[in-house]
Amino acid sequence: MSLRTLADIQALEAGGFNAAYPQRTPWDMIRSSAARAPDDVAIRFLNDAADPARDTILTYADLAASCMAAARGFRALGVVPGTSVAVLTQHTPQAQIALWGAQIVGHACPINPMLTPAHIAALLKAGNAAAIVITGVNAEIDYWTALVPALRAEGVTLPILDADADAPCPGSDGSLTDLIAANIDGADITPDGDEHALAAYYHTGGTTGAPKMVRHSRLNEAHVARSCALLHDLGPGDVVVNGFPLFHVAGAFVYGLSTLSAGGTLLVPGRLGMRNQTFVRSIWQQVERHGITIIGAVPTVLAGMKSVKINADISSLKYFLTGGSPLPTELAEASEKLTGKAVRNILGMTECAGAIAVEPVAAPRTPLSCGLRMPFSELAILGETDGEADPNKRLGPDETGIIALRGPNVSAGYSDAARNAGTFLSGGWLVSGDLGRVDDSGRLFVTGRKKDIIIRGAHNIDPQMIEDALLAHPMVETAAAVGMPDAYAGELPVAFVTLRTGDDAPDGAALVAFLKGRLEDPVALPKRIEVIDTMPLTPVGKIFKPTLRHQATGWAILSAAETAGLGPGDITIAPGETTIISAPSGQCEPLRAALAGMPVSFTVKERSAS
C-alpha cells in the first residue's frame, strides 16, 4: 500500500508489526532480497562517471555471498559478539560488504576517516574494535598513507585491512579483496542474538572533542530501512543515487539499506560521492544512462544541480529526496519547476538510525514540512521544565516546543550511559534538540534548532526565516544565518551567502536592502550579510555553522576593539570554546571593558613582543 497520510500509517499499524516488518535485521533484509532476485543488481559503483564500461556491478547474490565471506574472514581475525570491525572507508561496494559482514559476527563501528588519529584511536577503543578496514591508497583520496602510521603511533595494534586500493598500501595486514576471496566458501555463520542485539556503534557530536557513540540495535536499523522504503514507495525497479558516506546514517540506512531491503539498485557515484564533479556536472546524462529513479542529496547539493542544464532524457527520474538541514521552500519549488520532479524532505538523527519523519512521496509536498512519523513510532512536542524537555508537558497541535520521539527506531542510548542525560529520557523518549510543531494532520514542521535560535534581547529569531528569504534572491545559491554576539542585545542576526556566477552580483548591503519588507519579523533583518566564496560544510554536505559563528564572533570582537581605540591589526583572535584575544601591552583592560556584557567566553592576554 502507498502511504500518503497519517491515516494510512495507522491502517498499516492495525495490521500488526510482524506483517509490516517481516525482516527485523539488516542481514535478514539482504539475504531475503538475494533469495527473491539473486541476479538483480544490488549496487552499481561508478569507478569513472564518464565511462560506464568501468562500473563495478554487484548482484544481490554477489552481495550476500561477499558479506558472509567477509564475516568468515573477520571471525578468523578474532571478531566475535561484543567486538567490532571498524570501517573507515569511502562509500564503495567493499564498504557495504564490510558494514554488513561485521554485523554477522559482531558489530560494526563506522568512523569518519577524516577525524584526527588520536580521536580515531579513542573511538576504536570505545567501540571495542578487533579489526579495522581502511580505504587503501588511490589517486582520488588517500588518507591511508598518513593515517595508518599515525594510528600505529597512537598505539593501535589491531589488524588493518586495506579496501579498494589502486596501489600498494604500506603497513597493510592484508586486503579486504583477498580476505573475501579466501573465505567465499565455508559454513555459514549464524548471527548471535536476536533483533535487539547490538548492530553498530555510530559516533556523533561533531568533529571536535570526544563524540558520543550511539548504540544501534539491529531492529533500529531495519525499522528505519523498511519505514523509508514504505514512505518512499521503493521497489525492485528503483535506481537510487546514494553518495553519502556509510559512517552517516543517511547513507547507511535512509537511502542505503532501505533500497536493498526493497530489492532496488544503489547507484554510488564513486569514492567522492556527491563531491564527484564529473558525476554532478553530468547528472542528467547519468539519469538517462542508468535509468535513475531517485536522487538523494542534501539541500546544498540540490541547489548546485539547478545550475546544470538539462541535456538528456530524465523521464525515469521520479523524485529527489533531501534532508540533513531544513528544505527551503524556494529551493524545492525551483528544483521542481526546473525538472518537473518532486522534492521530498526527511528529518533524522544518528540516535534513531537516521529517520524521525519522512514526507511521503505519494502525497503532495507541504512547504516546510518534514513529513509524517515512522510507522509504529510516537512523535511528541514537549514543553520545558527548568530549561529541559519534559515528557509530562506534551503540547497540542500547532504548538511549538521541543521535538521528541520513541519507537523501534530509537536507540537504547550512548555507549557511555552517563551521556544519556537530556537526550534519552525515561519512558523511551529521545529528545531531538529541534524546535517544531505537529499539525492536526500529523505533519511535522521544524521551526529551528534550539541551540541555533538567535536571541535578540528577549526575542527569539528563527535563522531559517532569514535563510529562506535570502534564497528567494535569484543570485543566492546558499545561505546561513547565525547570531553575532552583542553586549546590548545578546545576539544580533548576521548571514553568510554564496552566489551563483553571473553579472550584477549583489553585495551584502544590496542583500540587506533586498530583505527589507520580506521578513515577517523586522528584528530578524541581518545587521550584516557577508558574501563568501564557499560555505563551510561537514563531510556529508551540511552547512557547518560553528565556523560561521566563529567568524561572526570575530566581527563582534573587532567592533569592541575599535571602541577601545584598537585597529584590526592591533589584536589577534584565536577562536575556540574560549576565544583567546591578544592585545598590545597596556591595552588589555580597555579591551576587556569594551567586551563587557558580550555573551562570549574569552580571555584577553598581552601580546608577546615580536
Side-chain angles (χ1 to χ4, degrees):
M1 62 182 294
S2 292
L3 302 181
R4 295 174 53 88
T5 65
L6 181 59
D8 292 335
I9 290 177
Q10 292 167 337
L12 178 77
E13 292 167 339
F17 191 83
N18 292 344
Y21 296 82
Q23 289 88 38
R24 310 288 186 84
T25 76
W27 174 235
D28 284 343
M29 288 177 158
I30 290 168
R31 66 179 181 175
S32 175
S33 292
R36 185 171 58 247
D39 297 327
D40 283 4
V41 176
I43 302 173
R44 179 182 292 274
F45 180 79
L46 308 189
N47 292 292
D48 181 348
D51 184 2
R54 294 188 58 206
D55 292 353
T56 295
I57 295 173
L58 246 64
T59 66
Y60 274 94
D62 295 332
L63 177 61
S66 295
C67 289
M68 184 56 71
R72 297 185 191 106
F74 293 150
R75 175 59 53 85
L77 292 174
V79 182
V80 296
T83 65
S84 73
V85 178
V87 183
L88 292 85
T89 63
Q90 300 305 106
H91 188 167
T92 66
Q94 288 204 350
Q96 288 272 355
I97 291 164
L99 180 66
W100 309 124
Q103 294 196 12
I104 294 173
V105 289
H107 61 275
C109 187
I111 296 174
N112 180 355
M114 303 308 291
L115 298 174
T116 66
H119 199 164
I120 292 171
L123 290 172
L124 294 172
K125 182 177 180 180
N128 201 21
I132 308 171
V133 178
I134 301 180
T135 298
V137 177
N138 66 85
E140 289 181 295
I141 183 165
D142 176 22
Y143 38 76
W144 174 282
T145 301
L147 178 57
V148 171
L151 289 177
R152 295 304 189 201
E154 290 289 338
V156 175
T157 60
L158 300 172
I160 300 178
L161 305 178
D162 65 84
D164 301 299
D166 293 341
C169 300
S172 176
D173 294 306
S175 75
L176 183 60
T177 300
D178 291 344
L179 180 137
I180 293 168
N183 291 279
I184 202 68
D185 295 317
D188 283 355
I189 297 172
T190 299
D192 186 67
D194 61 11
E195 66 265 31
H196 300 293
L198 178 64
Y201 280 133
Y202 267 77
H203 63 83
T204 186
T207 57
T208 60
K212 304 166 188 172
M213 300 279 278
V214 179
R215 296 174 55 88
H216 281 180
S217 73
R218 294 166 181 161
L219 182 59
N220 293 154
E221 297 176 352
H223 177 262
V224 164
R226 173 65 174 160
S227 298
C228 289
L230 289 168
L231 287 158
H232 292 152
D233 203 20
L234 294 174
D238 281 309
V239 179
V240 180
V241 172
N242 181 356
F244 288 77
L246 295 182
F247 61 78
H248 191 278
V249 285
F253 313 116
V254 174
Y255 303 124
L257 187 60
S258 62
T259 302
L260 297 176
S261 73
T265 296
L266 281 177
L267 189 144
V268 182
R271 291 188 184 95
L272 299 178
M274 296 305 279
R275 291 180 295 151
N276 182 340
Q277 290 304 304
T278 301
F279 178 80
V280 174
R281 285 195 296 265
S282 62
I283 185 63
W284 312 125
Q285 293 166 312
Q286 301 289 342
V287 169
E288 180 178 356
R289 177 182 297 159
H290 299 294
I292 292 168
T293 60
I294 301 156
I295 296 174
V298 294
T300 49
V301 174
L302 190 63
M305 288 183 190
K306 291 193 303 175
S307 62
V308 181
K309 181 180 179 180
I310 297 179
N311 55 0
D313 178 2
I314 63 169
S315 58
S316 65
L317 186 62
K318 296 189 292 188
Y319 42 83
F320 299 91
L321 304 178
T322 189
S325 58
L327 173 62
T329 301
E330 291 81 3
L331 174 59
E333 290 176 346
S335 296
E336 290 175 342
K337 182 178 180 180
L338 174 69
T339 64
K341 312 298 179 179
V343 180
R344 295 293 181 267
N345 200 13
I346 302 161
L347 177 67
M349 58 191 299
T350 306
E351 288 82 349
C352 59
I356 295 171
V358 170
E359 271 197 295
V361 297
R365 177 175 54 81
T366 301
L368 301 180
S369 172
C370 300
L372 304 172
R373 63 173 175 81
M374 302 292 95
F376 296 91
S377 74
E378 189 175 357
L379 189 61
I381 304 299
L382 305 181
E384 297 180 58
T385 297
D386 298 327
E388 297 293 333
D390 187 347
N392 295 316
K393 293 184 176 179
R394 296 184 63 166
L395 304 181
D398 286 320
E399 290 187 277
T400 297
I402 301 171
I403 299 169
L405 64 149
R406 61 183 173 184
N409 51 333
V410 173
S411 162
Y414 299 115
S415 59
D416 178 1
R419 307 192 73 167
N420 289 346
T423 301
F424 292 95
L425 308 184
S426 61
W429 289 104
L430 168 63
V431 176
S432 77
D434 291 308
L435 297 175
R437 61 183 177 85
V438 176
D439 68 11
D440 55 9
S441 297
R443 292 173 297 197
L444 175 64
F445 296 81
V446 175
T447 58
R449 180 79 179 161
K450 187 181 180 186
K451 67 180 182 182
D452 278 352
I453 291 295
I454 301 165
I455 303 177
R456 182 175 181 173
H459 197 97
N460 288 357
I461 300 170
D462 181 1
Q464 188 178 340
M465 177 201 316
I466 301 169
E467 292 158 3
D468 286 356
L470 281 168
L471 288 166
H473 192 290
M475 289 297 292
V476 173
E477 186 165 63
T478 60
V482 298
M484 180 178 71
D486 182 76
Y488 175 74
E491 289 182 310
L492 294 172
V494 295
F496 298 81
V497 299
T498 63
L499 301 178
R500 298 186 176 89
T501 56
D503 298 327
D504 300 321
D507 60 11
L511 289 170
V512 170
F514 172 78
L515 290 186
K516 288 181 178 177
R518 292 177 178 267
L519 294 173
E520 296 176 358
D521 189 344
V523 302
L525 186 68
K527 288 296 180 181
R528 175 173 178 173
I529 299 176
E530 186 80 355
V531 177
I532 57 179
D533 292 332
T534 58
M535 194 70 73
L537 303 175
T538 69
V540 297
K542 296 182 188 179
I543 293 175
F544 191 60
K545 286 192 173 181
T547 298
L548 303 179
R549 291 192 190 97
H550 283 319
Q551 187 165 342
T553 298
W555 295 339
I557 292 170
L558 288 173
S559 177
E562 289 178 8
T563 301
L566 297 170
D570 295 326
I571 65 170
T572 59
I573 303 169
E577 289 187 4
T578 297
T579 299
I580 308 299
I581 309 164
S582 300
S585 176
Q587 295 295 320
C588 291
E589 285 308 314
L591 180 56
R592 289 190 185 100
L595 290 166
M598 190 175 291
V600 176
S601 176
F602 65 89
T603 297
V604 178
K605 65 178 186 178
E606 233 176 63
R607 177 184 293 168
S608 301
S610 55

